[in-house]
Amino acid sequence: MYMKRTLVIGDIHGGLKALRQVLERAVVTNEDTLIFLGDYVDGWSESPQVIDFLMEVSRTNECIFLRGNHDELLLDWMLNDNKNIDEGMWFKHGGKATVLAYSCVTNEKKHIHMEFLRSLKDFYLDEQNRLFIHAGFTNINGVEHEYFPRMFYWDRSLWEMALALNESFPKDSLYYPKRFTLYDEIYIGHTPVTKINEIVPINKACVWNVDTGAAFMGPLTLMDIDTKQFWQSEPLYELYFNEKGRN
C-alpha cells in the first residue's frame, strides 16, 4: 500500500530542469502533498517556465506555495511598483535572468503569473505544529503576532540564531530563545546551507534548512518531512552549463 507523503522543496530559482529531475528521483505521485518554500524565480533562465510548471502540478497534487523574497520582487516589477526594488542589486542576484526570460512572455501569461504570485502564502502551519516559512519571523510569540510580515520572506536572524545555539544549551533556560520553543519543527529556505559548506538539508535546534544552494553551485532538494529522507538534483550549474545563475 502506498503511503501518502508530505514533501518539502527548497528554493528553485528558475531551475526547471532541477525541479523536474528531483520530482522524478523521489518518484512523486499524485498522492503526495508538496510544500514549496518559495523563491521560484531569479537565477537560472527558466523562471516563467517554473511558474507554469508549478501551476500545472497544482492541478494533480495538493500543493502549498509559500512566498519568497524573490517572488515578491518579481511581482513588484510586474506591477511597476519599484519602491522596494534596488534594480542593480536585484539584477546582481538573479533578477536580470528573470527579466530577460519574461521578455518572451505574452502579457496574458504575465497576468496569469501575477495572480499566482499574489496567491502565495506567507507561512503554513500544519496539524502537527510544524511551521513552513521561506525565511523566518522575528516576534517571540510566533508568526501570528509578527508586526512586520515582510520578515516572513526576508529574515535571516532565525537561522543565524539556530546556527549559534550550542546543542548543550538547556531549553528550560531563561535565556533559551523563545522562537525555538513555539513549533515542533520549522522548515525554511532563503539562506543557502552552502554558506556553511554544506549541500544537504541541515537541522539546527528545531529548524530544518532545505535551501541547498540551487541558485549557486548546489543541487535542488526535496525532503520527506516525516522520514527525513531526501532527494537531490544534479548541481544546477551542470544542468545549465552555459549559464552563470547567481554565481
Side-chain angles (χ1 to χ4, degrees):
M1 180 179 176
Y2 182 81
M3 297 294 292
K4 296 181 179 180
R5 301 176 296 177
T6 301
L7 306 170
V8 62
I9 298 98
D11 303 29
I12 301 166
H13 285 292
L16 178 60
K17 293 178 183 178
L19 178 56
R20 288 184 181 277
Q21 190 176 72
V22 80
L23 292 174
E24 291 172 2
R25 289 181 173 182
V27 194
V28 171
T29 76
N30 295 352
E31 297 296 315
D32 295 319
T33 295
L34 303 174
I35 302 177
F36 295 88
L37 292 173
D39 275 5
Y40 312 115
V41 303
D42 291 355
W44 307 102
S45 61
E46 296 190 282
S47 288
Q49 292 88 341
V50 166
I51 293 180
D52 282 337
F53 185 79
L54 295 177
M55 291 189 294
E56 181 182 331
V57 169
S58 71
R59 299 186 186 102
T60 59
N61 289 70
E62 180 179 354
C63 293
I64 295 158
F65 299 113
L66 301 183
R67 177 180 291 105
N69 55 307
H70 286 269
D71 310 315
E72 181 198 45
L73 288 167
L74 174 58
L75 179 58
D76 285 348
W77 174 75
M78 287 178 159
L79 294 170
N80 292 314
D81 182 358
N82 298 319
K83 66 179 181 295
N84 294 318
I85 297 178
D86 178 331
E87 189 174 277
M89 185 69 71
W90 180 41
F91 275 28
K92 180 181 177 181
H93 290 282
K96 184 176 182 179
T98 300
V99 170
L100 287 173
Y102 270 97
S103 67
C104 302
V105 174
T106 65
N107 287 332
E108 181 181 3
K109 179 164 285 191
K110 285 179 184 176
H111 284 292
I112 293 171
H113 287 193
M114 287 165 65
E115 290 307 308
F116 173 81
L117 293 167
R118 286 191 179 103
S119 74
L120 301 177
K121 298 179 180 296
D122 284 338
F123 62 84
Y124 171 65
L125 185 63
D126 74 6
E127 294 178 353
Q128 285 75 49
N129 196 39
R130 296 177 291 199
L131 176 68
F132 302 83
I133 196 164
H134 177 66
F137 60 98
T138 60
N139 193 294
I140 62 172
N141 294 311
V143 292
E144 296 89 348
H145 303 276
E146 183 63 68
Y147 289 108
F148 307 104
R150 294 185 75 237
M151 300 311 293
F152 294 144
Y153 40 94
W154 284 100
D155 174 65
R156 295 194 196 276
S157 64
L158 184 80
W159 177 239
E160 289 175 342
M161 186 174 289
L163 287 175
L165 278 177
N166 189 309
E167 292 181 0
S168 65
F169 194 65
K171 290 186 177 181
D172 58 356
S173 166
L174 289 175
Y175 301 104
Y176 193 84
K178 187 177 179 182
R179 283 187 290 174
F180 299 112
T181 67
L182 301 173
Y183 307 106
D184 289 354
E185 292 180 328
I186 304 173
Y187 290 85
I188 66 168
H190 189 51
T191 304
V193 298
T194 49
K195 290 183 177 291
I196 54 171
N197 298 318
E198 299 284 356
I199 57 168
V200 297
I202 298 297
N203 174 223
K204 294 292 183 181
C206 65
V207 180
W208 279 93
N209 189 335
V210 193
D211 181 356
T212 50
F216 301 97
M217 302 296 285
L220 178 65
T221 295
L222 175 154
M223 186 168 78
D224 184 323
I225 65 171
D226 293 309
T227 66
K228 304 303 186 283
Q229 183 179 6
F230 64 89
W231 298 262
Q232 295 186 300
S233 72
E234 297 303 309
L236 275 78
Y237 71 91
E238 296 182 4
L239 297 175
Y240 295 91
F241 58 88
N242 60 340
E243 300 179 23
K244 291 185 177 180
R246 293 178 60 195
N247 295 297

